[in-house]
Amino acid sequence: MTTWPTGVRGLAWGADHNPEQWPESVWAEDVELMRRAGVNLVSVGIFSWALIEVEEGRYEFGWLDRALDRLHEGGVRVDLATATASPPPWLTTAYPEVLPETAEGVRLSHGSRQSYCPSSGVYREKAVALARALAERYREHPALAAWHVGNEYGCHVSRCFCDRCAVAFRAWLRARYGDLEPLNEAWGTAFWSQRYSSWEQVLPPRATPSLGNPGQLLDFDRFSSDALLELFTAERDVLREVTPAVPVTTNFMVTWTFGALDYWRWAAEVDFVSNDHYTRAEDPERHVELAFSADLVRGLAGGRPWLLMEHSTSAVNWQRRNLAKGPGELRRNSFQHVARGADGTLFFQWRQSRAGAERYHSAMVPHAGPDTRVFREVERVGAEYARLAELVGSTVEASVALVYDWQSRWALGQPAHPTADFSYQDHALALYRALWRAGVTVDFVPPGADLSGYAAAVLPALYLVDDATPYERYVEDGGRLLVTYLSGVTDGRGHVHLGGYPGAFRELLGVRTEEFHPLGEGAAVALDDGSTARVWTEDLRTEGARVLASYADGPLAGVPAVTRNDRGDGAAWYLACGLTGDGLDRLVRGVLEHAGVPRGPEGVEVVRRRGERAGAPVSWLVAVNHGGGDAELPAAGVELLSGERVTGRVVVPAGGVVVVRGEV
């Protein structure tokens, strides 16, 4: 099975290309500008269903034939979409049952995109038929490099609550539980007289008078992720049948805005992992969240190369304030993704739209045309990518693992938890930020993954834990493990482990919490080491663990807040409070020092990729300077962007990038 877009030489570089939005007189200029910019891969046809299948069963491929032919003549490979991301108005008018429904019973209309129910048999039938028609039409086209199924699954409709989804949900539950008694037990339906006596009584978690059932909510999240995955695999299987040599992917959304799908399950179903990422414009450290996302995507790819399918050259169109990127920022963003394992980066989109809901979303070719700062920066990065072909296929070196769990994120996002101020994503990012500031590269891994290759590991709020044995074994064998509050509190069903928190991890951590003590809005407490905690505290007792810091004030003054438990050849830390800023940095650096993990340089982002060149092992140091002053790093080899030899030190200019090849 091919696991990368075929025929793409060097790092992939390009964008979503939407020729259907423009008269054909513009297409020739597009290809010429692509040549200037070094573009070698574009995604085509993502939202073109209405222009391909113009009415039910009648296809018009002529315009797409001409567009692909022109791209091929220009030396540009194509990631061809199945065009099923947005059903056309003729389909939703003829078959209104295709449309999704909210928890309140409101049927959503066409008029934007993604207006389909994942359990709609009509939608699936029509989508698969279109995918087959495209595959049969373009199976031999010389521009075809990969298939792009759907688009950003679940971005706008991640959960549908209609009657079709009710039927599909029951079928999913039957497969999971077998009969009703295990389901009643899993959902704890003895509470509030919710016991089910027939399958017909089981519904999606629609709007109810009060709080919904946590087990039902969690299982519906699992079902909904799986239902969308079934749509993807239905189209994928047809594409594999017709074009077995062409790899198939879809674009994930591992970003601060989205968490509705369990991408650990999805990643196993694509031929190569692709992702869309957009920075939070008003975050002054948005490059750290970008690094978080890129490392997480590399984890989904199992350490193998992955493709950034979309990011922006400058402003997006959907944030509250769509701030333009500064000079050099699109370049730094691009190289960050490459540093962290991407073998290519594409933008949304090639040419900025003149009409439609995203007309103010930036592009490689802005409204103002190619004589612009943005396009000149695009040309520069395209030329630099051409010098980095040797990085393709190399992997990233990391010494610390971070366990990330979408299902714990769902469970902790439900109502009726001890505080509404806790965010799983923000919590995980805060820990990652401390690792990033320490100059450490992180591998993201799923719950239960083998951690034996890592000197240290971090578990942020791993809430759903049936068995802590793998983590106990890791510590006993010499690992250093940092576990944070809200970890191990429940089993996989959401049932609380009795006997005190943190439940499944009590013995490993040598602690026992009697009661959670979340803080009031905006409140903070001091620790006796000078640190500050916000959002969360808990009434902790040690049962063998060593106290590293205690509360200095507040209702829990004198109570332990941070502990360490030496066990076997390793150690396990417990963070029982919402440490902030320097306090969290000090804790993380202490764990790294105890594990023997060297800290990286401060003030510049440094990642190392490893691979082979001419049969010999080689490493590449990629450094990105997000600061306002030059930075100097130890390095030896060849700086690939300039071609200059480096003999001991290399200067990374303010806002700049260097890539140094050195022998291992």
Side-chain angles (χ1 to χ4, degrees), residues 410-444:
W410 298 338
L412 286 166
Q414 294 175 1
H417 274 87
T419 178
D421 295 329
F422 177 80
S423 160
Y424 177 92
Q425 178 68 8
D426 289 348
H427 179 61
L429 178 57
L431 287 156
Y432 179 90
R433 192 183 304 275
L435 291 162
W436 188 93
R437 287 175 177 161
V440 173
T441 304
V442 174
D443 276 349
F444 283 79

Side-chain angles (χ1 to χ4, degrees), residues 465-481:
V465 178
D466 286 322
D467 182 9
T469 301
Y471 305 103
E472 294 171 353
R473 189 178 303 118
Y474 168 70
V475 172
E476 289 168 353
D477 290 344
R480 273 64 174 182
L481 184 70

Side-chain angles (χ1 to χ4, degrees), residues 31 42 46 91 100 132 146 190 203 234 242 374 418 444 451 513 528 579 602 623 626:
V31 172
V42 294
I46 292 174
L91 193 156
R132 180 178 293 279
L203 298 171
V242 180
V374 165
F444 283 79
L451 300 175
T513 290
D528 59 12
L579 267 188
E602 294 186 10
H626 302 281

Side-chain angles (χ1 to χ4, degrees), residues 448-508:
D450 180 7
L451 300 175
S452 60
Y454 299 98
V458 180
L459 271 62
L462 187 61
Y463 183 71
L464 304 168
V465 178
D466 286 322
D467 182 9
T469 301
Y471 305 103
E472 294 171 353
R473 189 178 303 118
Y474 168 70
V475 172
E476 289 168 353
D477 290 344
R480 273 64 174 182
L481 184 70
L482 172 59
V483 180
T484 80
Y485 62 93
L486 286 171
S487 290
V489 174
T490 77
D491 62 18
R493 305 169 300 175
H495 290 206
V496 174
H497 290 292
L498 302 181
Y501 316 117
F505 290 112
R506 282 201 316 271
E507 183 178 346
L508 170 61

Side-chain angles (χ1 to χ4, degrees), residues 13 37-39 377-387:
W13 173 245
V39 168
E377 196 167 331
V378 161
E379 287 184 291
R380 179 184 181 183
V381 177
E384 290 175 331
Y385 271 25
R387 300 173 199 147

Side-chain angles (χ1 to χ4, degrees), residues 18 174 194 222 228 273 318 390 393 437 442 446 568 633 641:
N18 298 291
R174 282 179 183 268
Q194 293 177 354
R222 291 164 170 156
L228 286 165
V273 168
W318 44 267
E390 62 189 67
R437 287 175 177 161
V442 174
L633 299 174
L641 301 182

